[in-house]
Amino acid sequence: MDNSATTAVDPGVTEAMLPYFSENFGNPSSLYSIGRQAKRAIEEARQKVADLIGAKKEEIIFTGSGTESDNLAIKGTAYRNRKKGDHIITSSIEHHAVLHTCKYLESQGFKVTYLPVNKEGLVNPVDVEKAITPETILITIMHANNEIGTIQPIEEIGKIANEKNIIFHTDAVQTIGKLPINADTLGVSLLSMSAHKIYGPKGVGALYIRKGTVIESQMHGGGHERNIRSGTENVPGIVGFGKAAELAKVHLPEEEKLANLRNSLIKGIFEIKESYLNGHPTKRLPGNANFRFSYVEGESLILSLDMKGVAASTGSACSSTSLTPSHVLIAIGLRPEEAHGSLRLTLGRENTQEEVDHVVSILPDIVNKLRMMSPLAR
Ligand SMILES: Cc1ncc(COP(=O)(O)O)c(C=O)c1O
C-alpha cells in the first residue's frame, strides 16, 4: 500500500526490456544493425511516452529519473534565462527534487517565492499571479502532491503563465498514468515524469519540453537526446518506460475503480476515533489516502503495519534521515506532533478489496495499542 513510493514492474514491461540487455545490446549511436535497432526502440518508446501526455515525440527527452527531470527543467530554464530575470515561483509543498533545486539556485543568486497552500494543500492561482514580477522567468508547481495527493489547478496557472509569457513547469511524476493528461491543455512548457511510479523500471525519467521552449543542458558530452542530456541511453530502461506508458494508457479508465477502492479504505479508517484525512476530500489522486491519528507516532504505525505484512509510509522522521516532520504536512497547517502521527496509504493496480478490508480490520487495534503507550493520550 505504498504505490506512490514505487510500483512493481509490470510483467509485460519486463518482457519488453529483456532483449535489450542481451541480444539487442547495441549502442544506439552505433551505425551497424544492433545499434540501429536500439535507436529504433528508443524512438518507439519516445512516441509511447509522448502519447501518454498528448505530446509530440520530438518534445520528449529521456533522463535518469524524475529528480533529474525536475533539475533539468528548473536549472535549465534558470540558466538559459538569467539575462532576462532571476525570479522563480514555486509552492511550499513541492517534492524535494524541486524544492532543493530552488534552494540551490538561491545560493547561486536567484530569487525564489515559495507560495503557501491552504489547509487542503491547494495553491491559489491568484497568489501565483500576484507573485509575478518583471523578473519572473519560471513558475514550477507540481501537478499532484506525492504525500497528500492534492491535485493543483494546473490549467488555471498555465493560463496565467502563458498570458505573461513565463515558462511553466509541472512535476507530473505522481499523475501520469493516473489522471488523463494533455500537456497542451495543461498549458505547461515543461513536464517531469518518472517510469517507476507507473509499473516501469527505476532509474529512468523523461522531460516534456514544449516545441519552442529552450533550456540549457545540464549534462554535457556526446550530444545525446538532442544535445539536452548527453550520456549513452539506458536502452532497456527507456524501452521499459515506453511499454509502461503504453500500458498506463490502456489501464487509465481503471483509475476510477481505484478511487472507489480508496474511498472504501477512507470510510473504514474513519471508524477509528480521532482520525483525520489530510489533503483535499475530492481533488486528490485516485489511490491516495493520507490520515493522521491523534497521540500516535507515524513510525510506530509503519512498523506495526509492516509486522502484519502491510507496506505504508509516513510523513514523519523515518521517511527522511532527519527528525523534521514532513514539510508538506507543516505547510497545510499541522503542528509537528500532528504531522508525526500521519499515515500514507497509496493504492495501485494490484491492490484488492480484500487487502483494503485487511488494513481496515487491523488498523484500529494497532492505533489503540499505540495510544495506550502514549503519555499524551491519557
Ligand atoms: C512528485 C515527485 N517528484 C519527483 C519524484 C522523484 O522521482 P524519481 O524517484 O524518479 O527520482 C518523486 C518520487 O517520489 C515524486 O513523487
Side-chain angles (χ1 to χ4, degrees):
M1 299 224 163
D2 199 18
N3 286 273
S4 276
T6 197
T7 51
V9 176
D10 187 287
V13 170
T14 314
E15 197 189 335
M17 290 171 72
L18 281 176
Y20 294 92
F21 287 105
S22 46
E23 65 260 39
N24 299 349
F25 69 90
N27 185 325
S29 299
S30 299
L31 293 179
Y32 43 81
S33 47
I34 56 164
R36 292 201 308 272
Q37 224 168 15
K39 174 99 188 137
R40 215 173 306 126
I42 289 178
E43 294 316 310
E44 280 168 20
R46 200 186 304 283
Q47 184 66 60
K48 288 172 185 169
V49 172
D51 287 346
L52 184 60
I53 59 161
K56 293 182 203 74
K57 181 168 156 283
E58 301 70 40
E59 295 175 314
I60 304 297
I61 294 292
F62 286 112
T63 65
S65 60
T67 300
E68 189 190 327
S69 300
D70 285 339
N71 272 262
L72 175 59
I74 298 168
K75 290 182 200 156
T77 302
Y79 290 132
R80 179 78 196 187
N81 294 286
R82 200 167 206 167
K83 288 200 185 99
K84 279 194 214 151
D86 60 1
H87 180 231
I88 296 166
I89 298 170
T90 189
S91 84
S92 47
I93 63 162
E94 299 295 309
H95 189 271
H96 283 141
V98 168
L99 281 182
H100 290 171
T101 304
C102 287
K103 286 270 173 240
Y104 168 76
L105 285 174
E106 280 186 290
S107 79
Q108 301 300 300
F110 289 90
K111 298 183 184 76
V112 182
T113 300
Y114 300 91
L115 294 175
V117 292
N118 70 8
K119 65 183 192 340
E120 290 160 338
L122 280 172
V123 171
N124 187 345
V126 175
D127 290 344
V128 176
E129 190 154 19
K130 277 195 205 145
I132 295 172
T133 75
E135 301 299 315
T136 308
I137 48 171
L138 173 68
I139 298 170
T140 171
I141 305 283
M142 72 199 315
H143 194 185
N145 185 267
N146 44 299
E147 288 187 40
I148 54 174
T150 303
I151 302 166
Q152 301 297 342
I154 293 300
E155 269 187 61
E156 279 178 67
I157 300 169
K159 280 200 188 88
I160 295 166
N162 286 317
E163 269 166 25
K164 308 259 180 188
N165 230 348
I166 297 167
I167 293 181
F168 180 31
H169 166 246
T170 194
D171 175 339
V173 167
Q174 290 291 345
T175 53
I176 58 160
K178 294 174 193 155
L179 304 176
I181 294 186
N182 182 291
D184 268 345
T185 315
L186 287 182
V188 294
S189 315
L190 302 159
L191 180 147
S192 298
M193 297 172 260
S194 180
H196 75 100
K197 311 285 187 183
I198 60 161
Y199 312 92
K202 293 167 183 60
V204 55
L207 180 65
Y208 157 82
I209 308 177
R210 189 203 281 174
K211 193 167 180 278
T213 303
V214 185
I215 62 169
E216 197 91 0
S217 163
Q218 298 304 303
M219 189 70 81
H220 306 278
H224 309 79
E225 295 295 291
R226 295 205 342 263
N227 228 350
I228 293 171
R229 201 274 190 179
S230 284
T232 300
E233 300 87 341
N234 170 7
V235 184
I238 290 172
V239 168
F241 193 0
K243 187 67 190 179
E246 182 188 322
L247 293 174
K249 216 174 162 194
V250 174
H251 286 289
L252 199 54
E254 291 163 26
E255 290 295 314
E256 212 170 301
K257 268 196 271 169
L258 192 65
N260 291 336
L261 193 60
R262 187 270 322 268
N263 290 344
S264 85
L265 179 66
I266 290 179
K267 191 161 168 267
I269 295 179
F270 263 143
E271 295 293 317
I272 301 173
K273 69 174 192 312
E274 291 193 67
S275 59
Y276 309 92
L277 186 69
N278 296 320
H280 198 280
T282 53
K283 289 177 189 161
R284 72 187 300 140
L285 287 171
N288 178 292
N290 190 317
F291 271 91
R292 65 182 191 277
F293 305 95
S294 309
Y295 322 120
V296 170
E297 281 216 328
E299 301 97 276
S300 316
L301 265 178
I302 301 308
L303 296 177
S304 306
L305 282 168
D306 188 31
M307 285 197 284
K308 306 243 177 206
V310 178
S313 89
T314 173
S316 70
C318 275
S319 67
S320 70
T321 46
S322 72
L323 276 168
T324 48
S326 146
H327 64 284
V328 176
L329 299 178
I330 296 299
I332 62 171
L334 301 193
R335 293 190 308 263
E337 62 272 25
E338 291 174 314
H340 278 305
S342 77
L343 171 71
R344 180 186 77 170
L345 298 164
T346 46
L347 305 181
R349 230 185 254 165
E350 290 170 347
N351 288 120
T352 61
Q353 185 68 53
E354 289 69 41
E355 287 172 338
V356 164
D357 294 345
H358 176 60
V359 171
V360 167
S361 73
I362 61 172
L363 199 54
D365 249 13
I366 293 176
V367 170
N368 283 337
K369 279 199 186 113
L370 293 175
R371 277 179 178 163
M372 282 197 297
M373 286 188 271
S374 164
L376 297 170
R378 281 175 219 136

